[in-house]
Amino acid sequence: MQQSIKTLKEFTDAARRIVFFGGAGVSTESGIADFRSTGGLYHQEWKYPPEVILSHTFYESNPEEFFRFYRAKMLCPTAQPNAAHRKLAEWEANGKLTAVVTQNIDGLHQSAGSRRVLELHGSVHRNYCERCGAFHDLDFILRSEGVPRCKCGGIVKPDVVLYEEGLDQQTINDAVRAISEADLLIIGGTSLNVYPAAGLIHYFRGERLVLINKSAVARDLTASLVITEPIGEVLSQL
């Protein structure tokens, strides 16, 4: 076992309140493309840039194209949890991990067994009619064609945070509380480019901060340990 993994194991064994803050890199090992790496969505050809299509303005003005992209690129119903998701669920079941704070919308943490998951950007598994508020699951969106509509005739909008939309305030409050009370914060699979989500890590007041990401993060942080390897490969060794 390499030294960095041994050190991480020492940190996690000693910790009593672990919080994990994760991004797209957590799910790439499950076959879900991220946004910014080579081969990610920002490097794929499409009629409009992804950040334009995934904006509130575009959703309102061109819902047909929005849902065409959304079904093709944002939904991965066959994806399964990987070693990172499973290890985090194991830590929670053992009473060591108090929360997963995620920028992902795929629901894989819950599929792995995690219960305390704070989804900053929403979830593809929740969809609501904009007219009557009725709930619709992921299968409803997958089975629908064009712009999905409720039986009342209203458009069914995914409960995901689009560009130009604000984060859910209660989710932010819960994330701030969890991070501020943690004694070990592990940041994994994120370049810390996306705000305001990335700014939440500044509320950490604990003893140790660990960064695990395949590439360098967007800015320097005073970390106790930095590991530049895939998060699933790292956590599978603990």
Side-chain angles (χ1 to χ4, degrees):
M1 182 181 294
Q2 65 188 68
Q3 185 56 49
S4 59
I5 301 299
K6 291 178 66 175
T7 301
L8 178 58
K9 189 175 189 311
E10 291 172 1
F11 287 178
T12 57
D13 286 347
R16 300 179 62 186
R17 296 182 306 280
I18 302 172
V19 167
F20 180 81
F21 182 97
V26 178
S27 293
T28 54
E29 290 169 270
S30 294
I32 298 179
D34 66 359
F35 275 69
R36 292 176 172 79
S37 68
T38 302
L41 292 181
Y42 281 172
H43 295 271
Q44 296 179 12
E45 293 296 325
W46 204 260
K47 187 176 181 180
Y48 302 92
E51 65 269 28
V52 172
I53 300 176
L54 296 174
S55 69
H56 182 81
T57 296
F58 192 91
Y59 168 80
E60 292 285 342
S61 63
N62 197 342
E64 294 84 2
E65 186 70 6
F66 170 88
F67 278 105
R68 190 170 75 88
F69 178 90
Y70 182 77
R71 290 191 185 92
K73 296 299 181 182
M74 305 305 292
L75 302 181
C76 302
T78 61
Q80 297 297 316
N82 60 54
H85 300 105
R86 293 192 293 271
K87 177 57 69 172
L88 295 170
E90 176 187 315
W91 284 342
E92 182 183 23
N94 292 337
K96 295 185 71 67
L97 183 139
T98 58
V100 169
V101 181
T102 182
Q103 299 173 82
N104 296 338
I105 60 175
D106 50 49
L108 290 180
H109 286 293
Q110 291 92 330
S111 295
S114 291
R115 296 179 179 274
R116 177 69 167 162
V117 182
L118 303 174
E119 298 172 308
L120 297 174
H121 296 154
S123 172
V124 299
H125 295 276
R126 298 189 300 269
N127 306 273
Y128 297 94
C129 175
E130 293 190 295
R131 178 179 295 178
C132 71
F135 169 83
H136 297 273
D137 61 13
L138 175 59
D139 285 340
F140 177 86
I141 300 297
L142 293 171
R143 292 195 306 266
S144 64
E145 297 179 357
V147 179
R149 292 189 177 273
C150 179
K151 60 183 180 181
C152 77
I155 295 177
V156 177
K157 183 179 184 294
D159 186 19
V160 298
V161 179
L162 304 177
Y163 289 98
E164 304 169 344
E165 295 181 342
L167 304 187
D168 177 73
Q169 191 59 51
Q170 186 59 56
T171 303
I172 293 176
N173 294 342
D174 291 344
V176 167
R177 184 177 304 108
I179 291 171
S180 65
E181 294 175 351
D183 58 5
L184 171 60
L185 176 62
I186 301 176
I187 301 173
T190 175
S191 57
L192 296 177
N193 273 309
V194 179
Y195 282 82
L200 295 176
I201 64 175
H202 293 302
Y203 290 94
F204 179 60
R205 298 293 181 267
E207 299 174 12
R208 292 174 173 136
L209 172 65
V210 175
L211 297 176
I212 308 173
N213 198 46
K214 285 170 52 176
S215 57
V217 298
R219 61 189 189 279
D220 292 331
L221 294 173
T222 304
S224 307
L225 179 64
V226 177
I227 302 176
T228 52
E229 297 178 24
I231 180 73
E233 291 183 15
V234 172
L235 296 192
S236 68
Q237 298 177 64
L238 300 181

